[in-house]
Amino acid sequence: MMELNWCIYKKNNLTQIKKINYKKLEGIDFTPKNKIKNGINVNKILIIKPSMVEKILKKKINRKLDLYLKLIVKFIESDDSGSDDTLREALNDLSRYKSIVEYKYKKYLDQKYLKYLSKKIAILEYELNSKLINFDVLEEQFEEEKTSNRRR
């Protein structure tokens, strides 16, 4: 299947279509949600303007960190702590996301914002680790009570 790379732009009331080689352009690409019924279906958007890339990445990162924060709050507020596997999976996913931010988005974001993000992610990791440790301690206590009740 042949891949089409086209750019449509308007200049001096003339609409022109020009073919562009996207492999030579440096930027970040996104897949839009395409929720419009009667419109153009877009498979990929490549953004090359640095200020626009930074704004979009910040929104994307904040949305993802809010999801992790909601997950942690859910674990903290619930009496039933969930499973050990769920906590470990969330912690692994957060550490994977941290590496994506550090290596993939590093060239698009400034150092000050990256330091801020690393502190924020470290706090989220700390909370997940502490919840995981508390879960392990409660699980050990439950097992000890279970074995002591069997002895009686």
Side-chain angles (χ1 to χ4, degrees):
M1 178 182 246
M2 190 170 99
E3 183 178 320
L4 298 175
N5 298 319
W6 300 95
C7 177
I8 300 173
Y9 63 94
K10 188 173 185 177
K11 185 176 181 181
N12 298 333
N13 296 328
L14 295 173
T15 304
Q16 297 178 349
I17 298 176
K18 182 179 180 183
K19 186 170 181 174
I20 296 176
N21 187 0
Y22 283 109
K23 293 177 182 172
K24 291 182 180 179
L25 296 176
E26 188 170 326
I28 192 154
D29 59 337
F30 294 97
T31 305
K33 295 185 180 180
N34 290 323
K35 291 188 178 181
I36 300 172
K37 292 182 182 179
N38 297 327
I40 298 173
N41 189 13
V42 179
N43 297 329
K44 185 171 82 170
I45 297 174
L46 178 69
I47 300 173
I48 53 176
K49 186 176 179 183
S51 62
M52 181 106 170
V53 169
E54 186 175 357
K55 286 178 186 178
I56 289 176
L57 281 179
K58 284 181 179 181
K59 281 186 178 183
K60 183 178 180 180
I61 290 169
N62 284 333
R63 235 181 287 130
K64 188 74 166 180
L65 291 179
D66 284 343
L67 287 175
Y68 287 118
L69 185 60
K70 287 178 185 176
L71 178 71
I72 291 170
V73 169
K74 179 182 155 188
F75 281 126
I76 291 173
E77 288 180 347
S78 68
D79 293 333
D80 181 28
S81 299
S83 69
D84 185 35
D85 295 334
T86 308
L87 288 171
R88 289 187 196 282
E89 184 179 325
L91 188 61
N92 289 339
D93 193 35
L94 183 63
S95 62
R96 181 190 61 80
Y97 189 68
K98 180 181 179 181
S99 66
I100 288 172
V101 168
E102 287 176 355
Y103 298 110
K104 187 176 179 183
Y105 301 152
K106 185 178 184 178
K107 61 183 173 182
Y108 302 111
L109 300 171
D110 59 350
Q111 285 299 115
K112 187 177 178 181
Y113 187 73
L114 286 172
K115 285 181 183 179
Y116 169 73
L117 276 180
S118 65
K119 288 178 184 178
K120 207 170 184 181
I121 292 173
I123 291 170
L124 293 174
E125 284 179 333
Y126 174 78
E127 288 297 324
L128 280 173
N129 276 327
S130 65
K131 191 66 176 172
L132 188 62
I133 290 170
N134 290 339
F135 185 79
D136 289 341
V137 169
L138 289 174
E139 197 172 68
E140 287 175 12
Q141 289 175 353
F142 178 73
E143 290 296 323
E144 287 175 7
E145 288 178 13
K146 202 175 184 181
T147 55
S148 66
N149 287 339
R150 287 182 187 167
R151 291 180 190 163
R152 293 181 187 173

